[in-house]
Structure formats: structure tokens, C-alpha cells
Amino acid sequence: MQNNKFKPLVFALLLVCLGGAYTQLSAQGWAWSVWFSSDNSPYANDGNYVAATLALPDGRAFFVVNNSPGYYFYGGSDGLVGGGYTPNFNDNAYHFCRDAVRVTGDTIAVLEEVLPKDGSERKVFIRTYKLGPGYFQQVLRGIDIEMFKYPGQNAYARSLIINNNGEFVALGSVSESMTDDTRDLVIARATTTDGILLSSIRHQLPDSDLPVQITAMPDGNYGMTRTVRVPANPIVSQLWMSRLDPDGMFLGDNNISNFGWETATALTATADGNVVVAGRVDSSGDIFFIKFNLIAGILWRYDYHMPGQGASINGMVQDANGDLVGAGSLTDSTTMKTYAYLVKISDSGQPIWEKKVGKTAGDKHINDIALWPGGGYLLGGQSTFQALMILTNTDGIVYPAAVNGNVIHDFDLDCTASAGDLPLENWTVQVNSPTRSYFGKTDAFGNYHVDCDSGNLVVHLVTPNAYWGPCLNDVPVHIPYLDSTSVDFALNALINCPALTVEHASWRTRSCDTAYFTVNFCNDGTIAANDAYVDVTLDSLFTFLDSSIPADSLSENVLRFPVGTIGVGDCGTFGFSVFVSCDAQIGQTLCSEAHIYPDSICLPPSSNWSGAFLIAKAHCDGDSVRFLVKNVGVAPMSQALDYIVIEDAVLLRSGNYQLDAGKTMEVSILANGSTLHFQGQQEPGAPGNSVPLAAVEGCVGSSGATPSTGFFNQFAQNDADPFVSDYCTPVVNSFDPNDKQAFPTGYGAEHNIDDRTELEYMIRFQNTGNDIAKRIIIVDSLSKFLDPATFEPGASSHPYKLEMTGEGVLHFNFNGINLPYKNADERGSQGFITFRIKQKPNNPLGTVIANKAEIYFDFNLPIVTNYTTHTIHEPLFQIVSLVQPDRAPKIRFSAYPNPATDQVLVEIDGAVTGNSELVLYDLAGKPVRSGNFEQNRLVMPLVGVESGIYFFAVRVDGKLLGNGKLIVR
């Protein structure tokens, strides 16, 4: 390319919208390539590739593109093509870029080889350039330094760094010929300010030495890797790792190869003062990583065996989380297609992921990698003789499209942003493609950014309740490949009503100890909530100690916390502490409830609601567990509704109730120490989400039985309304301080739930290190069976910034948390977050929902929590009620399980005398089974009975007592 003329073929471009936040940077990716004209020199194939990537702190990405006549700067900001520039040398020579570094600010230095066209020797220079504002409005030449001065020798450049003293250090080689057979290593130093060559050390070693990379170490020395080839034995190629002093003299030299033909390809220093080198087994195409201590030797080696493929790692960095990311190429030996390739491993050598980058193959090679400010990886290489530039997110993903926009509360009702309108924070935006959905959250300015597929999409704003009405929603857009679009949302108030939410939790509950609770609350409504307060009901084994805001005692275990006016979109938090009684036993479940007021529901009632409303309570009463179901509504129930009682994890009883207004029904169970759950159905159309649920744990009575534990949380609590938070936790002794829990836990070994069960997750963390943790990041990649659009943040011990990216990846960023370490402050070292989320609709039976989280303390390797699992099971509530003739004696009748499989247990609860019989009929009225009751109980085997719906009839001495339906599966 001459006279600054070029012919770009921009394959792809995706804009990053800088909202001034880490979310935008880390979530975005783009890829584009450009071809430069080239002359017909014999070195034309040594061109049109990115030799060095430079990520500047101001968000500009610069690439040094090698070309056979010279090299070019090509850059932009946030993925936007900024233009190209080529230095004008006018010296009748070829200029090849081999490496580049950022010196300071916007000054960069290029390590180049100069090959005169008259055939004289190659030379190596460092040339510095000052980049003007914007992109390439001006590029000023700085100092030029010839680094390897050996008359009559050809010099070759390889690696450039700036050492701890702020000096240039260049690694290369010299040779009397144009072949590799007689290469000698050269390490040279020069000042970065005035270009003075300080030293140039040539190592004349017996074999041919091909340098790969040099890196500065904390002690002022250098680590260097090279490939050594033995001319007398062409099958031998060895990977060597060396330690050099500040002048470049050898302090140690080690052959760290395993095989006869291994090549070094990349090197990076690690935060712990060691190095990691990447290499390739040339005979097989396998790659490997070796962590090396420059004094002690090899710490570990990890080999990637790649049958049918061949790979090379040409660049490597250690990211902010301590993980090692290698970039290069991967070739399929069958199709011979080559892909851009990324590998991420932990600092202990364990693989995290590996992936091909980009949508298609086409001879893509990555030569260099740099960390992108705020997260992600900037890659440079080649794609079919074109310079290739890529920005990925921290998962190595390039999204082919993006949607950006703003969400506001439209006070003046004009459906556009104007003065006085307020941004809405933490609202979810969902972008739907034909096959998947992508998500993002609004920030404090109402801005959002969602990376997604290209093509035909629908942009949907998820509203927190029905009080809000967007001026438009479900907006169809078409985004070309590697492009973006903008969709703004303005919301008006459909109903003027506050909508308060509350969540609370504690990190740990231990007997004879203090438990610390955090209460978080928000207003998702359209008007402010005045004179708001939170009532907290404590377990009888809790004794209130203190709180961060004043509390009024309403009774022995009920406290009221006034929180004042809560504006639209505002949130708040307070804490309180309790003493856990020494009578609390390990495994025993202790509960508390937080209820925020006003809790009014301003939506009009359903047209089919009768006015009845059911609640359930439970208590241990001597030798009985008593469940009370009461209609607290203003009208009688419109129909009979079903209930079940579960003993530990087994269905114990089922029945039904139909109550007048103000009336109560009691269900009494003999106390034997089991955990008992009562689950009833709510009157159809009743407002809110409350259902009659109650549970009792550890009611022993006079049985002398040992109370069962571990069953209380297997079913949901009655806190589905956002203004109520029930928190039940077992008393513990010791546990993993960095873990993940899920509620309800589910019943049985498979942790069964039905496909309508909402899940609540809790992630706990503790700084068990030996210094303050300045920041903590929790990353939770949600199961594909959960719906990110239903995500609701819960209680948290510390404030955090929330990001949601991709198809449901949550980032909880505790920046500036300054969490003390355990030995210095036990209580202060602890923290947690909770959140709720619903399942995607119609998860099939047998679906396993598995989830874990990664906890990053500062820049250490992540702590990976345990997995939580749930299995989708058929609902317990498919009970078909008994219908009785008007003159039949009124009794309670139960058949369970229902649906039934191998057998069904039928019970008559009431005074029935005489011979009782049950007959099972198919839909044609043909009897298929019959049996007689013994003491009001009947176990009827169902082996051989086909799946389906059956009628049954119960007769006493030939008279009909009742009939109903039974489901057999």
C-alpha cells in the first residue's frame, strides 16, 4: 500500500455503546477484516495480518497490520473502524512489524525488521509513534533505534517489552545466512525517552536458537522461551525456558520438552511470579501448557490431545480473574479448515473452556491477544490473506448483533424522553430470535445493551407488574450481521399504586450464637409509598438484639421497622440481629417473616372471584399436629377445593374443603416427630399469589420419637407475594462458607418439584484468605430451563451492581466491598446474595435443573460452588374429589397417590359401619378392580391396569357412599 491508499473489505462491524460501564465493554464483541493492496515482491505472502494488538485505556483498539511493503496502524474506538495509517519511510526497503507495545498514554512502539530491496542485510529497529486525538488525525514519529548492530549479519525481530525500569527490551536473533541453521539469540535494551542503546547481548549457542518471547519478572530479571533445533539431528526440536539477568545474560537454562519434536509458541508471566509457556507437539498437532518457576522448575504441565485436529497457541495472557487465555488457530485434518481458536485454563492448569471463535471457518489464525479494558479479549490475526481483528467477551464469544436503548418513566405522557422524565434502573430487556432469547439490564441512567443474534428479532421490555404500560413493546427489528440497532422504551402509569417488595435472609444460624439478618426493599410501583414499614415476625427461638434502624415491639416476637417514604424505583436496606437460643438443635429449622406495608393490590379483582380467601396455619398441640384452614374472605367458597398432607417426603392424606365466610376447618394428624406439610388450593380468581400452606417440624408429643429434620424446606413457603418474605433455615454447626443453596430443596433423592415451582437461590461467600478482598464478583450462568425474564433480586449482605448478559448470565459485582478476612473479623468476612426466578414454561417431566456459581475474590482463581439440582416431577395436586349423594353420611374420603401407579391407598375418615367396598370402573363402565375396606382403609393393587381416567364407587352394605375419579399412570 502506497500513498496511504487502501482498499478495505470490511466483513463485520458491531458497535460497542459505551455507557461508561463495565457491562458494555465486557458484554460486547465484534469482528472485522480488511485487505490492503500489496506489491509483487517475493515477500508478498508475509503480509496482511495483524502482528500486534493494542488496547488503550480510553477504549480505543489499535492494530499493527504487517504488509510486505510495510506496516499500518488500523484502529478505532469500541469496534468502530477508525481508519488506517502507514508510515512513509522512503528508504527503498521492506518494513515488517513483529511486535508492538504501548509506551505511555497514546505513544506506541513498533519492533520492526527492515529488509533493503538491494539485498543487503536485514536490520531491526524500534520506532515510536504518538497517536493523535480521535483515530488518526495525526501520527507523530518519535525516536528510531537500531537494536541489533552486527555488521554482515541478518537480524530478525521477535518480541518487545518494557521492563520494570521503563526500558525497551527486544528479543531476536542474528544469522550469517537466510536460513535457520545458524541463528544466535540477541537481547538488547534501549531507553524509551531518547532512544539510547544500553546493551546488546549475543548468545552464540551450539544449535540454532529460535526465540519466541521474553517477559519481565518482578525481581527485575527476565523469563524467555525459545525453540532449539539441532542441525545434525533434524527430528529434534526442543522447548527451552531461560532466566536472564537485567542485561540479558543467562542465569539459568532448562530443556522442558517431553518429546523429540516440541515447539515453543507463547509465553506470559503470572501474578504469582511464575511464567506459563504454551507449545505444540509438531508430530501430532497437540498443544500443551507448562507453568514454570524460573528457579524451582516445572510446576505443572497440561496437554491437550487433539485427534483429527492440529492447533497452535500464538499468544497468551492472564486475565483479571487469574485465568490463562491462549489464542491461536485450530485446523481440522479432514476438512483442512482452520478456525480462530481460544483456550481458557485456570492458573492451576485445569481446563475451563476451549472454543472456535466466529461463525465460519476460512483459514483464520490468531497471532496476538490483549486484555480489553473492563473485560474481554482483543485478538489480531489473519483471515484468508486479510487482516483479522476480533473483540470477544470474557467467555470468548462474539455476538453478531446488538440492541441498545433507554428506558424512562414518561411523566409528561408524550412517549419520548424529555426534561423531567426519569430513568428506570434494573429493568429487564429481552431480545427474542426465532430460536433463543437474550437479556440485559438497565443501568442507573436507564441505558441497556443486549448482545444477540442478527436477523429478524423482537425486542421486549419486561415490566415488573401490571401497573406500568409501555408506549410500545414487542418491537420487531431487523439487524444485519455484525450490526446494531437502538430501541427506546417510555412507560406510563396505568394504575397509580405503589408496589412494594421485600426480601430478607441471614448468612448463618448457629445455636448459642448471634445471627445477622439483612432486609432489602424496593418500590416497583408507579407512585411513592408513604409511611411504609416492615413487620418482622421472629421464630420463638430467636431473641431480638439490635437493629440498624429503630424498631417498635408489637409483641414478644413481632417487630415493626418504619422506613418512611419509598419513591418510585427507590430501594433501601436495614439489618437486625437476633440471639439463637441454646435450645436450638443442629438441623432444626428456624423461620422468620418480613412483611412490608402498604401491601395493597390495586388491580381490579378477577370477574370469577367469589370473594372467598383461604389461609392455613399449623401448630403442635400435645399429641397432635393441627392444621387450620380458614376462609377470611367476605363470601363463601364457590366450590370444594383439594388439599394434601405430606409426612416428610411421603403423601400422607388428601381431602377437600368448602367453607363459608369466616369458617374454619381443622385437619389433625397424630404427632410422631415427622415434618408435616399442609398444601391446599386457593379460591379461583383470588387476588395475589398466597395459597393455604403450613408446616410443622419436630412435633413429638408423647411418642418419644426422634424429630425428623431436613424436610421443612423441600416445599415452598407461602411468600409468593412480593410484599412477603419467609426465610427458613436449619441450625448449622460447620459448613462450606462459599456455597449455593436453593429453595425449595425439592422432595426425594432427586429433589423433585413440579414445573410451576418458583426457585429461590442463595449464594454465600466468606473471605478465608489473609488480606482484605477489595472486590468480589459472583458469576451465575443460569440453567437453560430457567427464565431470565422472571429474575428478581433478593436480599444481599452488601450493595452490588447487577449485570445480565447473553442468554442468562448474571454478574453480581461487589466493587469496593473491602471484605475483611476471617481471622481479622469473623462477622465482617461474610456475605450473601439471594434471588428468585421462575422456570421456563412446560419443562418436561424428568428435566434436571442444575445450577452453580463462581465466586471471584479480587484477581484470584474463582471458587466454584456446589451444584444445586431439581428434577421436574408430576404435580402432587391432581386429586379428584369424592362426590356424595345428598342423603349419604358426610365423611371425608382420601385416595392417594392420585395419580396412582402400582397401587392406591383409600381411606374413609368418619364413622362408617358395615361392609365397605370400592369398585373401579373404566370409562365404558366396565369394572376392572374391586376391594373391601379393613378398618376404613383399602390398598388396591393397580398392576395390569392401563393408564387413564377411571371412575370409582364406594358402597357400604350395598348403599352408595360416594363416587369420584382416579387417574392411573
Side-chain angles (χ1 to χ4, degrees), residues 28 85 188 246 350 410 428 456 578 629 722 775 814:
Q28 181 57 61
Y85 170 83
Q350 299 303 308
D410 180 27
T428 300
N456 294 320
V578 300
V629 185
R775 69 152 199 177
F814 296 86

Side-chain angles (χ1 to χ4, degrees), residues 172-246:
S173 60
V174 295
S175 174
E176 294 180 358
S177 69
M178 299 294 287
T179 69
D180 294 339
D181 294 343
T182 57
R183 294 275 187 104
D184 292 332
L185 291 176
V186 178
I187 299 100
R189 291 185 304 125
T191 61
T192 57
T193 52
D194 48 14
I196 297 174
L197 186 65
L198 300 174
S199 65
S200 183
I201 306 298
R202 179 178 183 178
H203 296 282
Q204 295 179 299
L205 302 171
D207 299 314
S208 181
D209 291 87
L210 303 178
V212 174
Q213 206 160 344
I214 192 169
T215 185
M217 304 306 296
D219 60 3
N221 297 315
Y222 310 117
M224 180 194 69
T225 188
R226 71 190 193 278
T227 300
V228 177
R229 293 181 179 169
V230 182
N233 189 350
I235 68 168
V236 175
S237 178
Q238 300 169 335
L239 185 155
W240 285 67
M241 192 68 228
S242 307
R243 180 172 178 246
L244 308 172
D245 72 10

